[in-house]
Amino acid sequence: NAGVTQTPKFRILKIGQSMTLQCAQDMNHNYMYWYRQDPGMGLKLIYYSVGAGITDKGEVPNGYNVSRSTTEDFPLRLELAAPSQTSVYFCASSSLNSNYGYTFGSGTRLTVV
Amino acid sequence: AQRVTQPEKLLSVFKGAPVELKCNYSYSGSPELFWYVQYSRQRLQLLLRHISRESIKGFTADLNKGETSFHLKKPFAQEEDSAMYYCALRGTGGFKTIFGAGTRLFVKA
């Protein structure tokens, strides 16, 4: 059972570069999420999706874009990376059954220099 | 506004001692509360949910709507309980979850 797979695990970007963080789940979950976690802070929601073709902004969407062309994949795109985007990024998914919580990916540690 | 507060960044206890990780929330409706745990070099995982009133790995948590709290308790801490613990809130019928800043629990031998 793969669950939620995130790649890469680590990445160093230079200011102004762009990259895509990949996230895939094999549990047929409708809902998918991207969070970022800064030191000493809780997880902040960047974007979320309720199904293929449907995405919406979370609490901190600026500087990011997402797409959801399939149920399985939910990539997060960073355009023009800035030092403020240095963080740990978590992808998560959940089912329609609200009794269950999230299944998380292993995280991506991104440093922008 | 929805908010989850974990007042302690770090909690250190001796093995065998009771442990309580505090969580307070602010929410206008009926919330669903969760505790997530992240052990060293592992991913975040769900520990328990208030709706199931379960005990997982000896941990329990009771939702106190009067005090708007959902503290996590264990009567006898074990070294393997050392981890980062996050309290989380979701609105009833919703799906987006907000997380507290987390409490690092360190259980000393």
Side-chain angles (χ1 to χ4, degrees):
Chain A
N1 287 336
V4 178
T5 303
Q6 268 185 257
T7 56
K9 291 195 187 308
F10 304 94
R11 184 72 187 267
I12 298 175
L13 279 182
K14 293 184 178 179
I15 294 172
Q17 287 185 320
S18 60
M19 75 164 293
T20 299
L21 281 67
Q22 302 291 344
C23 176
Q25 53 93 8
D26 61 359
M27 298 168 287
N28 203 32
H29 283 172
N30 283 78
Y31 303 127
M32 295 188 75
Y33 317 84
W34 275 105
Y35 285 86
R36 60 176 285 173
Q37 183 182 34
D38 300 321
M41 309 289 287
L43 281 71
K44 303 286 188 189
L45 183 63
I46 305 171
Y47 270 95
Y48 65 96
S49 169
V50 302
I54 307 170
T55 64
D56 207 348
K57 296 177 181 179
E59 188 181 358
V60 289
N62 291 345
Y64 308 94
N65 276 299
V66 293
S67 60
R68 183 100 182 266
S69 56
T70 66
T71 299
E72 294 78 20
D73 299 298
F74 190 43
L76 178 72
R77 178 84 177 160
L78 279 72
E79 305 280 3
L80 298 174
S84 61
Q85 294 178 303
T86 294
S87 189
V88 180
Y89 291 83
F90 290 101
C91 179
S93 70
S94 66
S95 67
L96 284 171
N97 187 332
S98 65
N99 287 337
Y100 295 96
Y102 288 3
T103 301
F104 279 90
S106 56
T108 297
R109 185 174 295 276
L110 175 68
T111 303
V112 182
V113 296
Chain B
Q2 298 178 27
R3 188 168 60 247
V4 176
T5 303
Q6 294 179 251
E8 303 138 330
K9 287 192 188 306
L10 173 67
L11 186 61
S12 183
V13 301
F14 283 102
K15 176 182 173 181
V19 63
E20 181 180 56
L21 290 83
K22 290 183 169 32
C23 173
N24 290 91
Y25 67 89
S26 174
Y27 186 71
S28 57
S30 292
E32 295 176 355
L33 276 297
F34 303 82
W35 276 98
Y36 286 83
V37 62
Q38 187 172 28
Y39 300 102
S40 179
R41 303 187 195 284
Q42 295 187 28
R43 61 186 67 191
L44 264 164
Q45 57 187 283
L46 180 66
L47 179 63
L48 54 77
R49 314 160 277 170
H50 94 268
I51 198 167
S52 58
R53 303 184 66 83
E54 57 204 342
S55 173
I56 303 292
K57 299 185 179 183
F59 284 99
T60 59
D62 290 319
L63 178 60
N64 186 323
K65 291 187 177 181
E67 296 183 357
T68 59
S69 68
F70 187 55
H71 303 327
L72 183 68
K73 301 177 184 179
K74 185 169 182 176
F76 307 103
Q78 303 298 315
E79 289 180 75
E80 55 265 30
D81 296 328
S82 295
M84 194 75 178
Y85 291 82
Y86 295 92
C87 183
L89 176 152
R90 184 172 68 193
T92 302
F95 53 89
K96 289 189 288 181
T97 298
I98 60 171
F99 291 82
T103 297
R104 181 166 296 283
L105 175 64
F106 182 55
V107 181
K108 299 176 284 189

